[in-house]
Amino acid sequence: VGYLLTDTALTPSFKVMGYPYVVHHLSASMCWTFCASNQVMQPLASFLQFNELSTVMMNVRQVLLTAGYKSSDLIVIVVSLTFFALFSAVRVFPLPFVVHKWISQEFVSIRNEVGWGGAILLSAFLAVNVMLQGSWFTIMVSKLIGMFSKKQSKKKEQ
């Protein structure tokens, strides 16, 4: 939680990072605080913390761009592709398993522990997480396709 709040507070600019980024970090902070306070969903919450492995590369990319590097510079391309690979591996690919585990086990367990309110609240947090990860992944894939299609266009022109 401390990492997420610090990462949000030190964001270069909310305009650059976007408000979904802030919503994601604040909702994740509230979710983990709720889970720890009520001693529920510990394995799944701990697993979801691995999502933040990709944030390091996103921050490195942002530092490079803020320092004046262009998106087309090799170092930025390498960092961007590394970020995309990490994001896909730790945030997107596990989502079907996370949602399945939530529906098949966690929801009922949490409902029994803290009641319907807590189970619905955590379901909302999970839904926000799934929607944000999916939308960010879609944006990255479209940018990646655009990046490669520009390179193909340049090769054809030559």
Side-chain angles (χ1 to χ4, degrees):
V1 172
Y3 166 76
L4 290 170
L5 295 176
T6 302
D7 193 43
T8 303
L10 297 177
T11 297
S13 115
F14 292 127
K15 185 178 179 183
V16 170
M17 299 308 289
Y19 288 97
Y21 171 85
V22 176
V23 168
H24 165 69
H25 277 92
L26 294 178
S27 67
S29 296
M30 290 186 292
C31 180
W32 283 325
T33 301
F34 180 88
C35 291
S37 298
N38 291 286
Q39 298 181 343
V40 294
M41 209 170 99
Q42 297 301 300
L44 186 55
S46 296
F47 174 77
L48 290 173
Q49 288 180 334
F50 284 108
N51 286 348
E52 298 311 316
L53 286 173
S54 65
T55 304
V56 174
M57 296 312 293
M58 182 186 69
N59 290 343
V60 170
R61 182 181 186 280
Q62 193 60 44
V63 166
L64 291 171
L65 293 172
T66 303
Y69 287 90
K70 296 177 187 156
S71 295
S72 58
D73 289 341
L74 181 60
I75 186 69
V76 177
I77 291 171
V78 169
V79 169
S80 297
L81 291 173
T82 304
F83 168 62
F84 178 75
L86 279 171
F87 189 94
S88 299
V90 300
R91 291 180 184 246
V92 178
F93 297 155
L95 283 178
F97 304 104
V98 170
V99 171
H100 178 266
K101 184 166 175 56
W102 177 256
I103 292 169
S104 65
Q105 294 175 340
E106 298 287 345
F107 181 85
V108 172
S109 174
I110 289 167
R111 185 195 66 205
N112 293 340
E113 285 289 321
V114 295
W116 278 98
I120 290 171
L121 179 67
L122 290 174
S123 293
F125 286 137
L126 184 61
V128 166
N129 180 52
V130 169
M131 287 186 290
L132 288 173
Q133 304 304 344
S135 65
W136 287 328
F137 184 71
T138 302
I139 290 168
M140 285 188 276
V141 168
S142 69
K143 287 186 177 191
L144 197 60
I145 290 169
M147 184 176 82
F148 284 114
S149 65
K150 284 180 189 175
K151 286 185 180 185
Q152 293 294 341
S153 297
K154 286 181 183 179
K155 284 182 182 179
K156 286 180 183 178
E157 289 173 10
Q158 294 174 351

